[in-house]
Amino acid sequence: MSLIKITADDDKILRERVLCMMDLRNEKLTQVARTLNLDSGGLSGWVNGGIQSRLSTEKKRLLSEYLGLLHGFLAPNKMHIWNTDSETIEKAMPLLVSKELLNGIRIVPMYSGGQPVSCAFLSSFIDDYFVVIAEPRNSSLHPPIVNPKKSGWGILENHALFSTAEYSDLKKTEDGNISEAYLKIMIRSMTEINSSMIDWVILVKEAVMAGVTIEEAKERLFTSKTSHS
């Protein structure tokens, strides 16, 4: 979906995804309008009223970038922080990512300071990495962990443990370092194996770049070590 020249059908799809992202981020229309210095009436007329002309193409682009969308889809190589629930994520992911990415999404429960705090949703495609950290809408709720058997997509991994400071730093990952955040979460969710951390980091990185599953990578590492022993 290009925002250079947008058709009526494209406009409808973009509105649906904008509403979806606002729900995932737990942001209200007035809040978004104020943050982006947009006319709330014009934004409402486009989002809720479906009037294509109420928002210019440039403002639609600005709105998309702010919410984390690129050409109407979830933007890669960006840290997405959502305050939402598992039901919303279950419905949203098939709308926001391609089929190629959907089934391969890694679902990693996240612990900080010994307590469950969020769930990471990770995927990669060629040189693009997708990292979403989904936290509950408020601290009294459980982290939004999606069950693949219920949703029909994704692979549930072991939980990843972080200290409070490490978790805080992870969420501040700058664009361009998303691959490092991806690998850090994946490594911490893996069952320990008899190898040094350096070997494991290199192996996981090579596996991700080559499209090899973590399970295959483990087997290759085991085979490699036993053949040299």
Side-chain angles (χ1 to χ4, degrees):
M1 179 190 299
S2 171
L3 292 184
I4 297 175
K5 184 176 182 180
I6 191 166
T7 67
D9 287 342
D10 285 342
D11 197 70
K12 179 181 178 181
I13 293 171
L14 181 60
R15 286 199 311 274
E16 291 175 348
R17 293 175 183 174
V18 162
L19 280 169
C20 181
M21 289 297 291
M22 287 173 59
D23 192 12
L24 288 167
R25 292 160 58 105
N26 200 26
E27 292 190 76
K28 304 300 182 185
L29 187 146
T30 51
Q31 176 186 350
V32 173
R34 183 168 57 251
T35 300
L36 298 179
N37 196 27
L38 298 175
D39 175 67
S40 58
L43 181 58
S44 177
W46 179 70
V47 172
N48 297 320
I51 305 173
Q52 186 173 349
S53 60
R54 291 301 300 273
L55 208 64
S56 69
T57 299
E58 184 56 38
K59 289 179 179 178
K60 290 171 188 175
R61 182 182 295 107
L62 177 67
L63 177 62
S64 295
E65 291 176 353
Y66 169 73
L67 293 174
L69 292 170
L70 179 65
H71 304 311
F73 291 95
L74 189 66
N77 304 319
K78 177 181 175 63
M79 178 64 73
H80 298 272
I81 307 292
W82 295 345
N83 296 98
T84 187
D85 55 79
S86 57
E87 290 76 14
T88 301
I89 296 176
E90 288 173 9
K91 297 175 183 177
M93 282 297 193
L95 183 68
L96 298 174
V97 301
S98 67
K99 292 181 180 179
E100 291 81 6
L101 288 172
L102 185 63
N103 291 331
I105 290 177
R106 302 280 176 170
I107 302 168
V108 183
M110 303 280 282
Y111 281 62
S112 172
Q115 298 296 321
V117 292
S118 64
C119 186
F121 296 84
L122 315 170
S123 193
S124 64
F125 183 70
I126 308 178
D127 294 329
D128 289 335
Y129 290 83
F130 295 79
V131 177
V132 173
I133 293 181
E135 299 180 333
R137 294 186 191 274
N138 64 67
S139 58
S140 66
L141 300 175
H142 295 295
I145 302 172
V146 171
N147 184 342
K149 292 183 178 179
K150 179 183 176 183
S151 66
W153 56 263
I155 303 166
L156 186 61
E157 301 284 2
N158 296 326
H159 59 261
L161 301 176
F162 288 83
S163 69
T164 302
E166 289 170 337
Y167 181 70
S168 178
D169 288 342
L170 180 71
K171 293 198 298 178
K172 297 175 183 177
T173 300
E174 297 181 358
D175 296 353
N177 294 323
I178 300 303
S179 61
E180 294 179 16
Y182 178 106
L183 291 171
K184 185 178 293 184
I185 296 171
M186 286 299 295
I187 289 166
R188 293 191 179 216
S189 72
M190 294 297 101
T191 302
E192 288 187 11
I193 58 175
N194 294 322
S195 66
S196 70
M197 182 56 73
I198 293 177
D199 285 345
W200 183 229
V201 169
I202 292 173
L203 180 70
V204 171
K205 186 171 183 178
E206 290 178 348
V208 170
M209 297 303 293
V212 177
T213 67
I214 298 300
E215 290 73 17
E216 290 173 327
K218 284 182 180 179
E219 180 63 27
R220 291 184 186 185
L221 181 62
F222 176 78
T223 301
S224 173
K225 286 191 171 294
T226 54
S227 65
H228 288 87
S229 61

